[in-house]
């Protein structure tokens, strides 16, 4: 009896092992169940589609609205400071893991300006911090740091800055001076107000010039008999 029990022991163990092998053969993923799962938060792309308040670019904060397609970021930005030096910008950039790269392009006091924001997303306070580089008219005008904090998840509520209207110079029509008016009047009297008074056919005076008979006062100056001989 003892011999039979001992002999049956290994046989049961072998059957259990064979059963596990058959399970693995039927379902290859069964052996992966014991492996630690991959952290999906590391693999996913950060969602930065918010309205942000950015400090460090100007004296007051710049408001930026970002839209996102996968790793591509795009949107708009505005700056308003009591109506002085306001501007609207186009924003393009990208995000990879926790690295954020953005470029704002706008006109600052009539000068073409680009500001690059290169920062890191901080999950603890949900902000972006990093370095900025400002280029104006093709030359580096400023280096510094920035911080962006999201303030609104609804990007559709963003509105651009209201730009002040530039006053157009008024056209003032000056009245002609008395001397100019008198001169114009004198010319009108001498030349006549009708075209037939202004244009005179000297051929009509040929007979009076040659014979000396008739009123010669209306003959234009410089026209003499020698001119028609």
């Amino acid at each position: 009896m003892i011999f039979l029990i001992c002999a049956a022991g290994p046989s049961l163990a072998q059957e259990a092992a064979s059963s596990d092998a058959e399970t693995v053969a039927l379902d290859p993923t069964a052996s992966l169940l014991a492996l630690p799962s991959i952290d999906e938060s590391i693999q996913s792309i950060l969602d930065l589609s918010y309205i942000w308040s950015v400090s460090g670019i100007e004296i007051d904060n710049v408001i930026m609205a970002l839209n996102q397609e996968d790793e591509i970021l795009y949107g708009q930005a505005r700056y308003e400071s009591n109506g002085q030096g306001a501007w609207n910008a186009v924003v393009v950039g990208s995000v990879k893991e926790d690295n954020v790269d953005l470029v704002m392009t706008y006109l600052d006091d009539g000068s073409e300006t680009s500001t690059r924001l290169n920062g890191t997303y901080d999950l603890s306070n949900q902000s972006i911090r990093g370095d900025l580089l400002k280029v104006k008219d093709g030359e580096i005008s400023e280096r510094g740091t920035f911080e962006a904090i999201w303030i609104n998840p609804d990007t559709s509520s963003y509105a651009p800055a209201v730009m002040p209207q530039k006053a157009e110079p008024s056209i003032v029509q000056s009245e002609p001076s008395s001397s100019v008016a008198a001169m114009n009047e004198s010319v009108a009297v001498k030349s006549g107000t009708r075209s037939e008074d202004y244009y005179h056919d000297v051929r009509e005076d040929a007979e009076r010039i040659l014979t000396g008979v008739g009123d010669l006062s209306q003959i234009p100056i410089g026209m003499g008999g020698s001119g028609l001989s």
Side-chain angles (χ1 to χ4, degrees), residues 190-220:
K190 290 182 179 180
S191 61
T193 58
R194 295 177 300 174
S195 59
E196 57 268 23
D197 294 332
Y198 181 79
Y199 296 101
H200 183 74
D201 191 351
V202 296
R203 291 174 299 179
E204 298 177 356
D205 304 317
E207 184 179 353
R208 285 181 293 172
I209 295 173
L210 293 176
T211 60
V213 178
D215 185 6
L216 302 180
S217 62
Q218 301 299 323
I219 301 176

Side-chain angles (χ1 to χ4, degrees), residues 20-33:
D20 293 341
E22 292 175 358
T23 302
V24 172
L26 295 175
D27 186 6
T29 61
S31 61
L32 300 177
L33 297 177

Side-chain angles (χ1 to χ4, degrees), residues 54-58 64 87 89-95 99-106 112-120 128-136 139-148:
V54 187
S55 60
I57 301 176
E58 298 283 2
M64 175 178 65
W87 50 258
V90 174
V91 184
V92 294
S94 62
V95 55
N99 296 321
V100 183
D101 195 5
L102 298 169
V103 176
M104 295 181 182
T105 304
Y106 52 97
E112 183 176 349
T113 305
S114 295
T115 298
R116 181 181 180 181
L117 308 176
N118 190 355
T120 303
I128 306 172
R129 292 192 181 106
D131 300 323
L132 72 82
L133 178 68
K134 185 179 292 187
V135 176
K136 181 177 290 189
E139 297 182 357
I140 296 177
S141 62
E142 183 180 343
R143 298 176 187 267
T145 59
F146 77 95
E147 180 178 10

Side-chain angles (χ1 to χ4, degrees), residues 45-54 62-69 73-77 91 102 121-123 125-128 148-158:
I45 300 175
L46 290 173
D47 184 7
L48 303 179
S49 299
Y50 297 98
I51 295 179
W52 302 78
S53 178
V54 187
V62 173
I63 303 301
M64 175 178 65
L66 288 181
N67 299 309
Q68 185 170 349
E69 290 185 5
L73 300 174
Y74 62 94
Q76 306 175 67
V91 184
L102 298 169
Y121 180 76
D122 187 350
L123 183 61
N125 57 15
Q126 298 184 356
S127 65
I128 306 172
I149 301 175
W150 74 269
I151 56 176
N152 192 341
D154 183 12
T155 57
S156 64
S157 63
Y158 173 84

